[in-house]
Structure formats: C-alpha cells, structure tokens
Amino acid sequence: MLTGLSIRDVVLIESLDLEFGPGLGVLTGETGAGKSILLDALGLALGARADSGLVRTGQAQAVVSVSFELPAGHAAHELLRENGLAGEPGEPLVIRRIVKADGGSRALVNDQSASVGLLRELGASLVEIHGQHDDRGLLNARGHRALLDTFGGIDTREAERLYRGWREAEDALARARDALDAAERDREFVEHASAELGRLAPQAGEEEELAALRANMQKGARLAEDIAAVGQYLDGSDGGLSLLRQAARRLERIADQHDRLGEALAALDRALIEASDAEDRLAEAADALAYDPARLEEAEARLFEIRAVARKHRVDPDALPALAEELAAKLAALEAGTRSLDRLEQAVAEAHSAYRAAAAALSVQRHAAAERLDAAVARELAPLKLDAAQFRTVVETLAEAQWSPLGQDRVEFEISTNPGAPFAPLAKIASGGELSRFILALKVALAERGGAATMIFDEIDRGVGGAVASAIGERLHRLSDSAQLLVVTHSPQVAARGNRHFFIEKSHGLVTRTSVQLLDDSRRREEIARMLSGAEVTDEARAQAGRLLEAA
C-alpha cells in the first residue's frame, strides 16, 4: 500500500507531503490545477523517464519520494533481496528519485543507489496506473494470460516442471547426437589407431626400460674386453684372489708368533672380503652389460616403434597405454551410441507427451475461466454505459516453437464496441472514456483474484455523468475493498464515494504554485457542491452534495 508521497520543486509544486490510507482516495480540483503533476511525480519515482523540465524554475533539482508498506510475500520483497536492497523487517519501502535541472537523475531504494530499470520493476509490482494513454497493465496482451490464470485459479507449476524435463531431455539428446556425429566422423581413424595400439600393446614405463637396456648393451660392447681382462686378474689359479688366499693360509700358521703377524692376517682377511665383493660386482656388471646383437636389435626396433607411434599421436610414450584405453572406449561408445540415442529419443517423446497433456489440461481450464471472465465483465458493461459493447477472452493454441513453461496458449482480451463490429484489442478500439470504463469493468471482474496493492485511475469518469458516474463510483468503492485506489475525478458521484478526499488547487501570486489539502467533512461537502454547480455554489448544490455523501 502507498503510504506517503513527498514532492520538492516539481514544476508548480514547491513542497508537498501527502499521507495515504487504505480504501478509496479521490483527488479533485479545477481543470489545470495540477492533478497531472502529481501523477507525473509519482511516475517519476516509479521509473518513468526523467525530464529536466520537471524541475521547478530557478531550482537546482527536483526530488520525489514515495513510501510503501508491503505485506509478507509481496513480489517486491524478492526483487529487493536479489538486488541487496532489502530494508529491516517491518520498515517501509522508500523510493527516492532526484532529477537535476542540468540533466541526469539518481534513484535510491531504501537510501541505497539503484538503477532506473529496477525502479520500473518495483513500480510494476507496487502500483497500477490506468489512464487514457497508459500502454501497460491491462492493455498489454503479454500480461493477459497471467491475469486469466489468476482469475481462474489455474496452477501452472506441473506444466512448468514437465516443460523443463522435456527441454532437458531434448538437450541431452542433442548433445548425444553431436558427440556421436563427431565420433562417426573419426571412426576410421579411431579403428585404425586402436588396432595399431592393440598390436603394439605398450606398457607403462616400457620406453624408459628399453632405452636403458639399449644404452647398457651398447656400453657392454665397448667394455667387454676390459671386463674380461679384470676378471682374469682376479679369477683363476694365478689370479689375485687365489694368491691372496694362499698368503692368508700360510700366514695363519705363524700369526700367533707375533702381534704384527696377527694384524697382517686380519688385514688379509679384509682384503679377501673386499676382493670377493669386487669379483661379485664385476660379474653383475658383466651380466648387465652383456652384449647380445640379436637382443639389441630387437630392443631397438621395439623402442623406435613406440617412439614413432607416440610422435604420430603427439603424446609422450608413457601416455600410449592411456591413449589405447581412450580409443577403445570411443569404439565402445560408437557401438553403444545408436542404442543410447534410441533410449534418449524415447525419453524425449515421453517428456513431450507428458508436457503436452499438462498444457492441454491448462488450455481446458483457460477456456473455462475465459467463459467465466467474459460473463463477469459483461455484467459490468451495461451500468457503465457500455451495453452495446462486447468483451471476449481469446485463448488460442500457439505453434509448438512458441510453447513455454506456462503452456501452449496465447491469451488476449478483445472488445467490440458496437453490434456487428469486429473484435480487436482494447487499446485499438476504445475511445479514452470507453477505455477507462472497460478497464474498470475488467478490474472489478478480476478484483477477487488480486493484482497490484495500489491502483490509480486517471479521469476514469471523463465524458460521463449521472447514473453512469454513480455506477463508476460504486464499482470503484467496491474495488477498494480489496486494494488501495487513488482516483483523479471530475465527477461528484465518484468523489462522494471516497474514504479520503484530496483537493488540488493552484494559487496565483508572484509565483504560481500548486498545493494539495486533505479535506475535512465540511470542506469536502463544499467541494462536491462546487463540482455539482460550477463557479457559484448554491444551497441546492450543497444539499445534493450532502445526499451524495450520505448515500455513499
């Protein structure tokens, strides 16, 4: 609910602070008093285009602030949270717009900077402004389906869930097809490479082992003669080890004859141990460096093949086993691809069928709700002097490419203003006064199903009077039971229905100014009498004003 409007230096308004309450608030005043300035100021705070011409002459800037009290669960709460602008629980929402005389503007939400785009989103959820030139709200066909669904109590959540499932199944199928197509393009290469690696059967670390074997055998070929000669020095009856053993045996017989002989024997024993270890190491080296021409040729051939295949596939030799597994997996995927596509195609068909059934059920509900809405609007037309007009809700099935989570229907409100005249969208047929009354009839029909918490009607009673004005007033009053209404009116019948009455007047002096006053009961009676009689207020007009107020 709109609770306050504060205006500083906007056109003819120097300073103005208004407080609003629930129910129906009416704004009256003589023509040209400045009622449109109030609506322009409110629109500015709700995201309308900033025009430096709105700044009062001689001032640097204009400022408009509005405050709202929002019930729990209002759509604006989520918008504020998403943009990091939520206030403290229980605190009002405050929107401020500043327009500079030299161009440019600023927007603030709860004293934090915000974009004008966000103001428009907030404004759409907070206030509906209905005027002769308004192209939003009920005149915008894009919102008609949601209005019909709300009126009919139609729950679209299951269709939304099934639509997402259908699209996800289609995406999975498309990805699988792309992958299979790419794999099919490479099939010949994959089959050849997989067969080649299968024959080669590379092992992890094999290239390093073969390279070491090859290097050792090449060394062995160069060192074989030296290793054999060293072996001869150590081994055999005339070798070093044999002579050391003979010396040790002979020394052992006399070692106890002197300490130094014992030490010499111990040294010989150590020399024998070291010489024996050297002999063993020499034998191991001879084995490791053993040169076998056939084996060397075989190792080199294997090594060169592994390296050649690795270069061809642009991988390290150690990565060949993993590549072989990858290629085998691709071949397996190719074989399984067709079966997988069959399953995914079946899943898409089932998801499509489930969504289509849910969307068809929504269509049935919408057609039924459309009939009820058409009847409800028709009941409101005659009292509003629109008895020759007809209203209908068009529900038509869209092409499959245009289906959405909300179903397969396009919904639009159409009217025919005269018998036999073709139906067409609201904004294209109705005149200004007719359009406002059509909107009122629709709003009354839709009232029990909700909408914005605050609605503003700008001169909805233009060009009508008497019984029609009374019917408009009665319907506005009824509509205000479920929403806050502000109505700019020239009709005393409508003004008498208000819960609060604001009087707008223009004062002329050195500077022309517009002011707004909340009228008490006596001044309200006088204002309605003025609306009834014109420039000179008569006693009969005052009496009639009293009767209107008593009947309201």
Side-chain angles (χ1 to χ4, degrees):
M1 179 179 74
L2 175 65
T3 57
L5 171 63
S6 175
I7 302 174
R8 298 291 184 272
D9 296 320
V10 174
V11 193
L12 300 178
I13 300 176
E14 181 178 4
S15 178
L16 179 64
D17 294 290
L18 295 178
E19 294 182 359
F20 302 99
L24 176 59
V26 296
L27 295 91
T28 67
E30 294 181 354
T31 300
K35 296 185 288 294
S36 62
I37 299 175
L38 287 179
L39 296 185
D40 288 343
L42 180 60
L44 184 67
L46 299 177
R49 187 178 68 86
D51 185 348
S52 59
L54 291 172
V55 181
R56 194 164 67 93
T57 302
Q59 300 304 307
Q61 63 182 27
V63 182
V64 180
S65 299
V66 290
S67 59
F68 293 87
E69 289 182 359
L70 304 179
H74 194 285
H77 286 303
E78 184 62 25
L79 266 176
L80 293 170
R81 280 193 295 270
E82 288 176 356
N83 290 275
L85 298 172
E88 294 295 324
E91 291 293 318
L93 165 63
V94 179
I95 301 173
R96 182 176 293 110
R97 188 83 179 276
I98 302 169
V99 181
K100 296 181 180 180
D102 57 0
S105 71
R106 289 181 60 208
L108 299 163
V109 175
N110 289 333
D111 289 326
Q112 299 181 69
S113 293
S115 68
V116 175
L118 176 61
L119 256 59
R120 292 194 191 100
E121 284 190 79
L122 282 171
S125 70
L126 295 167
V127 178
E128 291 180 13
I129 300 177
H130 300 292
Q132 297 180 48
H133 306 293
D134 183 44
D135 61 354
R136 299 167 296 170
L138 295 178
L139 301 188
N140 190 338
R142 285 178 294 183
H144 291 177
R145 181 172 58 190
L147 289 170
L148 180 63
D149 287 352
T150 302
F151 173 80
I154 298 171
D155 188 347
T156 62
R157 286 177 294 182
E158 179 65 7
E160 292 175 36
R161 184 185 69 81
L162 293 172
Y163 181 86
R164 288 194 298 271
W166 172 33
R167 292 307 185 193
E168 287 169 2
E170 285 194 324
D171 289 344
L173 176 60
R175 289 194 300 271
R177 281 178 173 157
D178 289 344
L180 187 60
D181 288 345
E184 284 290 351
R185 289 193 295 271
D186 297 335
R187 177 187 281 272
E188 185 176 348
F189 165 76
V190 171
E191 287 178 339
H192 172 77
S194 182
E196 180 182 47
L197 287 171
R199 290 190 300 270
L200 183 62
Q203 303 298 314
E206 185 180 6
E207 188 258 355
E208 185 177 354
E209 292 176 3
L210 288 170
L213 175 62
R214 175 173 173 262
N216 285 338
M217 292 185 74
Q218 288 174 336
K219 289 178 184 177
R222 295 195 307 271
L223 301 175
E225 184 178 346
D226 291 330
I227 292 172
V230 173
Q232 288 178 358
Y233 292 149
L234 291 174
D235 201 9
S237 59
D238 295 329
L241 271 172
S242 178
L243 294 174
L244 282 173
R245 289 188 187 102
Q246 292 175 33
R249 284 194 298 271
R250 190 160 187 167
L251 183 57
E252 187 176 8
R253 292 196 295 269
I254 62 173
D256 59 352
Q257 299 300 311
H258 195 279
D259 292 341
R260 293 291 184 249
L261 293 175
E263 292 172 1
L265 178 60
L268 275 176
D269 287 339
R270 291 195 298 273
L272 277 168
I273 293 171
E274 292 296 330
S276 295
D277 188 52
E279 184 181 41
D280 292 340
R281 296 290 183 270
L282 188 64
E284 290 172 2
D287 289 340
L289 299 172
Y291 172 64
D292 182 346
R295 189 181 177 200
L296 176 60
E297 183 178 355
E298 180 183 337
E300 286 185 330
R302 175 77 176 169
L303 179 61
F304 295 157
E305 185 176 13
I306 287 175
R307 288 176 173 174
V309 172
R311 284 195 301 272
K312 181 164 67 173
H313 292 288
R314 297 180 180 178
V315 298
D316 291 330
D318 280 347
L320 288 176
L323 178 61
E325 292 181 3
E326 180 185 339
L327 293 172
K330 285 186 176 181
L331 278 180
L334 280 169
E335 298 303 322
T338 301
R339 295 191 298 275
S340 177
L341 283 184
D342 289 342
R343 290 194 299 272
L344 290 172
E345 287 171 351
Q346 180 64 27
V348 169
E350 291 173 358
H352 176 270
S353 178
Y355 165 76
R356 187 165 190 163
L362 287 180
S363 295
V364 171
Q365 295 177 65
R366 284 175 178 143
H367 280 285
E371 291 183 7
R372 297 196 303 274
L373 179 59
D374 292 352
V377 174
R379 288 192 294 270
E380 301 295 331
L381 295 180
L384 296 174
K385 202 176 179 181
L386 294 169
D387 44 311
Q390 290 181 289
F391 172 88
R392 74 178 183 186
T393 304
V394 176
V395 181
E396 65 178 17
T397 301
L398 296 167
E400 184 169 320
Q402 296 174 283
W403 292 358
S404 77
L406 300 176
Q408 58 189 18
D409 304 313
R410 184 187 74 86
V411 176
E412 185 168 8
F413 302 147
E414 294 184 343
I415 58 171
S416 168
T417 53
N418 295 295
F423 281 88
L426 287 171
K428 292 187 177 179
I429 286 187
S431 64
E434 287 178 326
L435 182 57
S436 295
R437 282 177 277 148
F438 265 115
I439 289 173
L440 178 58
L442 257 175
K443 291 305 300 183
V444 170
L446 295 167
E448 294 182 359
R449 294 297 181 177
T454 299
M455 286 179 276
I456 297 174
F457 287 89
D458 183 13
E459 299 186 357
I460 192 172
D461 48 11
R462 177 186 290 268
V464 300
V468 177
S470 294
I472 291 174
E474 188 275 329
R475 280 154 179 77
L476 288 170
H477 186 74
R478 193 195 323 163
L479 190 56
S480 70
D481 290 338
S482 58
Q484 179 191 41
L485 265 68
L486 295 176
V487 179
V488 177
T489 180
H490 292 286
S491 167
Q493 293 91 339
V494 173
R497 289 282 186 172
N499 302 106
R500 287 187 166 202
H501 191 147
F502 298 92
F503 176 64
I504 305 171
E505 65 178 340
K506 185 186 295 182
S507 61
H508 300 278
L510 292 177
V511 178
T512 303
R513 290 184 173 88
T514 291
S515 62
V516 181
Q517 303 173 44
L518 177 63
L519 302 182
D520 58 21
D521 289 345
S522 61
R523 295 186 64 193
R524 184 180 183 192
R525 186 186 304 270
E526 193 70 11
E527 167 62 5
I528 293 175
R530 182 198 65 77
M531 296 171 73
L532 285 165
S533 61
E536 183 178 349
V537 179
T538 65
D539 290 339
E540 175 56 30
R542 291 189 179 93
Q544 179 62 18
R547 288 191 288 272
L548 285 176
L549 287 168
E550 290 171 4

PDB file of all heavy atoms in Angstrom, residues 19-38:
ATOM      1  N   GLU A  19      -0.069  11.935   2.943  1.00  0.00           N
ATOM      2  CA  GLU A  19      -0.181  10.618   3.540  1.00  0.00           C
ATOM      3  C   GLU A  19      -1.447   9.959   3.018  1.00  0.00           C
ATOM      4  O   GLU A  19      -2.504  10.599   2.932  1.00  0.00           O
ATOM      5  CB  GLU A  19      -0.228  10.712   5.074  1.00  0.00           C
ATOM      6  CG  GLU A  19       1.061  11.216   5.685  1.00  0.00           C
ATOM      7  CD  GLU A  19       0.987  11.244   7.207  1.00  0.00           C
ATOM      8  OE1 GLU A  19      -0.080  10.885   7.756  1.00  0.00           O
ATOM      9  OE2 GLU A  19       1.984  11.620   7.842  1.00  0.00           O
ATOM     10  N   PHE A  20      -1.335   8.688   2.682  1.00  0.00           N
ATOM     11  CA  PHE A  20      -2.461   7.957   2.127  1.00  0.00           C
ATOM     12  C   PHE A  20      -2.823   6.792   3.046  1.00  0.00           C
ATOM     13  O   PHE A  20      -1.988   6.270   3.782  1.00  0.00           O
ATOM     14  CB  PHE A  20      -2.129   7.421   0.730  1.00  0.00           C
ATOM     15  CG  PHE A  20      -1.747   8.499  -0.249  1.00  0.00           C
ATOM     16  CD1 PHE A  20      -0.414   8.756  -0.535  1.00  0.00           C
ATOM     17  CD2 PHE A  20      -2.715   9.257  -0.874  1.00  0.00           C
ATOM     18  CE1 PHE A  20      -0.040   9.739  -1.428  1.00  0.00           C
ATOM     19  CE2 PHE A  20      -2.363  10.248  -1.778  1.00  0.00           C
ATOM     20  CZ  PHE A  20      -1.017  10.492  -2.058  1.00  0.00           C
ATOM     21  N   GLY A  21      -4.071   6.379   2.957  1.00  0.00           N
ATOM     22  CA  GLY A  21      -4.533   5.248   3.745  1.00  0.00           C
ATOM     23  C   GLY A  21      -5.194   4.212   2.856  1.00  0.00           C
ATOM     24  O   GLY A  21      -5.211   4.339   1.631  1.00  0.00           O
ATOM     25  N   PRO A  22      -5.760   3.194   3.455  1.00  0.00           N
ATOM     26  CA  PRO A  22      -6.432   2.163   2.659  1.00  0.00           C
ATOM     27  C   PRO A  22      -7.734   2.677   2.068  1.00  0.00           C
ATOM     28  O   PRO A  22      -8.189   3.776   2.379  1.00  0.00           O
ATOM     29  CB  PRO A  22      -6.681   1.057   3.689  1.00  0.00           C
ATOM     30  CG  PRO A  22      -6.769   1.782   4.999  1.00  0.00           C
ATOM     31  CD  PRO A  22      -5.810   2.922   4.902  1.00  0.00           C
ATOM     32  N   GLY A  23      -8.322   1.863   1.202  1.00  0.00           N
ATOM     33  CA  GLY A  23      -9.608   2.211   0.615  1.00  0.00           C
ATOM     34  C   GLY A  23      -9.473   3.113  -0.593  1.00  0.00           C
ATOM     35  O   GLY A  23      -8.474   3.094  -1.312  1.00  0.00           O
ATOM     36  N   LEU A  24     -10.489   3.953  -0.786  1.00  0.00           N
ATOM     37  CA  LEU A  24     -10.580   4.788  -1.971  1.00  0.00           C
ATOM     38  C   LEU A  24     -10.228   6.231  -1.627  1.00  0.00           C
ATOM     39  O   LEU A  24     -10.901   6.872  -0.810  1.00  0.00           O
ATOM     40  CB  LEU A  24     -12.000   4.723  -2.547  1.00  0.00           C
ATOM     41  CG  LEU A  24     -12.316   5.624  -3.742  1.00  0.00           C
ATOM     42  CD1 LEU A  24     -11.410   5.323  -4.921  1.00  0.00           C
ATOM     43  CD2 LEU A  24     -13.791   5.485  -4.137  1.00  0.00           C
ATOM     44  N   GLY A  25      -9.163   6.732  -2.250  1.00  0.00           N
ATOM     45  CA  GLY A  25      -8.809   8.136  -2.114  1.00  0.00           C
ATOM     46  C   GLY A  25      -9.114   8.860  -3.407  1.00  0.00           C
ATOM     47  O   GLY A  25      -8.782   8.368  -4.488  1.00  0.00           O
ATOM     48  N   VAL A  26      -9.785  10.016  -3.306  1.00  0.00           N
ATOM     49  CA  VAL A  26     -10.140  10.768  -4.515  1.00  0.00           C
ATOM     50  C   VAL A  26      -9.382  12.085  -4.529  1.00  0.00           C
ATOM     51  O   VAL A  26      -9.115  12.686  -3.488  1.00  0.00           O
ATOM     52  CB  VAL A  26     -11.662  11.009  -4.599  1.00  0.00           C
ATOM     53  CG1 VAL A  26     -12.403   9.688  -4.722  1.00  0.00           C
ATOM     54  CG2 VAL A  26     -12.168  11.794  -3.394  1.00  0.00           C
ATOM     55  N   LEU A  27      -9.026  12.534  -5.739  1.00  0.00           N
ATOM     56  CA  LEU A  27      -8.320  13.798  -5.930  1.00  0.00           C
ATOM     57  C   LEU A  27      -9.150  14.637  -6.880  1.00  0.00           C
ATOM     58  O   LEU A  27      -9.452  14.214  -8.009  1.00  0.00           O
ATOM     59  CB  LEU A  27      -6.928  13.582  -6.509  1.00  0.00           C
ATOM     60  CG  LEU A  27      -5.920  12.826  -5.642  1.00  0.00           C
ATOM     61  CD1 LEU A  27      -5.984  11.323  -5.944  1.00  0.00           C
ATOM     62  CD2 LEU A  27      -4.502  13.321  -5.898  1.00  0.00           C
ATOM     63  N   THR A  28      -9.545  15.817  -6.424  1.00  0.00           N
ATOM     64  CA  THR A  28     -10.359  16.701  -7.263  1.00  0.00           C
ATOM     65  C   THR A  28      -9.715  18.083  -7.303  1.00  0.00           C
ATOM     66  O   THR A  28      -8.813  18.395  -6.530  1.00  0.00           O
ATOM     67  CB  THR A  28     -11.789  16.809  -6.718  1.00  0.00           C
ATOM     68  OG1 THR A  28     -11.769  17.484  -5.445  1.00  0.00           O
ATOM     69  CG2 THR A  28     -12.415  15.438  -6.556  1.00  0.00           C
ATOM     70  N   GLY A  29     -10.227  18.906  -8.169  1.00  0.00           N
ATOM     71  CA  GLY A  29      -9.742  20.274  -8.317  1.00  0.00           C
ATOM     72  C   GLY A  29     -10.147  20.793  -9.668  1.00  0.00           C
ATOM     73  O   GLY A  29     -10.569  20.037 -10.557  1.00  0.00           O
ATOM     74  N   GLU A  30     -10.038  22.086  -9.825  1.00  0.00           N
ATOM     75  CA  GLU A  30     -10.426  22.689 -11.093  1.00  0.00           C
ATOM     76  C   GLU A  30      -9.473  22.250 -12.201  1.00  0.00           C
ATOM     77  O   GLU A  30      -8.325  21.873 -11.953  1.00  0.00           O
ATOM     78  CB  GLU A  30     -10.424  24.208 -10.972  1.00  0.00           C
ATOM     79  CG  GLU A  30     -11.494  24.732 -10.001  1.00  0.00           C
ATOM     80  CD  GLU A  30     -11.499  26.243  -9.922  1.00  0.00           C
ATOM     81  OE1 GLU A  30     -10.602  26.868 -10.532  1.00  0.00           O
ATOM     82  OE2 GLU A  30     -12.378  26.787  -9.244  1.00  0.00           O
ATOM     83  N   THR A  31      -9.935  22.316 -13.413  1.00  0.00           N
ATOM     84  CA  THR A  31      -9.095  21.963 -14.560  1.00  0.00           C
ATOM     85  C   THR A  31      -7.854  22.843 -14.585  1.00  0.00           C
ATOM     86  O   THR A  31      -7.957  24.070 -14.420  1.00  0.00           O
ATOM     87  CB  THR A  31      -9.894  22.147 -15.869  1.00  0.00           C
ATOM     88  OG1 THR A  31     -11.039  21.313 -15.832  1.00  0.00           O
ATOM     89  CG2 THR A  31      -9.031  21.799 -17.069  1.00  0.00           C
ATOM     90  N   GLY A  32      -6.705  22.210 -14.757  1.00  0.00           N
ATOM     91  CA  GLY A  32      -5.446  22.942 -14.798  1.00  0.00           C
ATOM     92  C   GLY A  32      -4.830  23.200 -13.445  1.00  0.00           C
ATOM     93  O   GLY A  32      -3.808  23.879 -13.340  1.00  0.00           O
ATOM     94  N   ALA A  33      -5.436  22.637 -12.380  1.00  0.00           N
ATOM     95  CA  ALA A  33      -4.904  22.891 -11.035  1.00  0.00           C
ATOM     96  C   ALA A  33      -3.598  22.147 -10.787  1.00  0.00           C
ATOM     97  O   ALA A  33      -2.840  22.510  -9.888  1.00  0.00           O
ATOM     98  CB  ALA A  33      -5.934  22.487  -9.986  1.00  0.00           C
ATOM     99  N   GLY A  34      -3.347  21.096 -11.542  1.00  0.00           N
ATOM    100  CA  GLY A  34      -2.067  20.400 -11.387  1.00  0.00           C
ATOM    101  C   GLY A  34      -2.186  18.950 -10.994  1.00  0.00           C
ATOM    102  O   GLY A  34      -1.228  18.355 -10.480  1.00  0.00           O
ATOM    103  N   LYS A  35      -3.366  18.350 -11.263  1.00  0.00           N
ATOM    104  CA  LYS A  35      -3.523  16.926 -10.902  1.00  0.00           C
ATOM    105  C   LYS A  35      -2.537  16.053 -11.673  1.00  0.00           C
ATOM    106  O   LYS A  35      -2.008  15.069 -11.141  1.00  0.00           O
ATOM    107  CB  LYS A  35      -4.976  16.489 -11.177  1.00  0.00           C
ATOM    108  CG  LYS A  35      -6.007  17.206 -10.324  1.00  0.00           C
ATOM    109  CD  LYS A  35      -7.396  16.667 -10.544  1.00  0.00           C
ATOM    110  CE  LYS A  35      -7.959  17.062 -11.910  1.00  0.00           C
ATOM    111  NZ  LYS A  35      -8.183  18.529 -12.050  1.00  0.00           N
ATOM    112  N   SER A  36      -2.286  16.404 -12.915  1.00  0.00           N
ATOM    113  CA  SER A  36      -1.358  15.591 -13.715  1.00  0.00           C
ATOM    114  C   SER A  36       0.063  15.671 -13.165  1.00  0.00           C
ATOM    115  O   SER A  36       0.852  14.734 -13.327  1.00  0.00           O
ATOM    116  CB  SER A  36      -1.378  16.055 -15.166  1.00  0.00           C
ATOM    117  OG  SER A  36      -0.935  17.406 -15.273  1.00  0.00           O
ATOM    118  N   ILE A  37       0.405  16.782 -12.500  1.00  0.00           N
ATOM    119  CA  ILE A  37       1.751  16.907 -11.931  1.00  0.00           C
ATOM    120  C   ILE A  37       1.960  15.859 -10.846  1.00  0.00           C
ATOM    121  O   ILE A  37       3.040  15.260 -10.735  1.00  0.00           O
ATOM    122  CB  ILE A  37       1.968  18.324 -11.356  1.00  0.00           C
ATOM    123  CG1 ILE A  37       1.839  19.365 -12.471  1.00  0.00           C
ATOM    124  CG2 ILE A  37       3.331  18.426 -10.687  1.00  0.00           C
ATOM    125  CD1 ILE A  37       1.930  20.793 -11.973  1.00  0.00           C
ATOM    126  N   LEU A  38       0.917  15.621 -10.046  1.00  0.00           N
ATOM    127  CA  LEU A  38       1.029  14.596  -9.008  1.00  0.00           C
ATOM    128  C   LEU A  38       1.316  13.229  -9.620  1.00  0.00           C
ATOM    129  O   LEU A  38       2.172  12.485  -9.137  1.00  0.00           O
ATOM    130  CB  LEU A  38      -0.260  14.537  -8.187  1.00  0.00           C
ATOM    131  CG  LEU A  38      -0.521  15.684  -7.211  1.00  0.00           C
ATOM    132  CD1 LEU A  38      -1.860  15.469  -6.508  1.00  0.00           C
ATOM    133  CD2 LEU A  38       0.596  15.777  -6.189  1.00  0.00           C
TER     134      LEU A  38
END
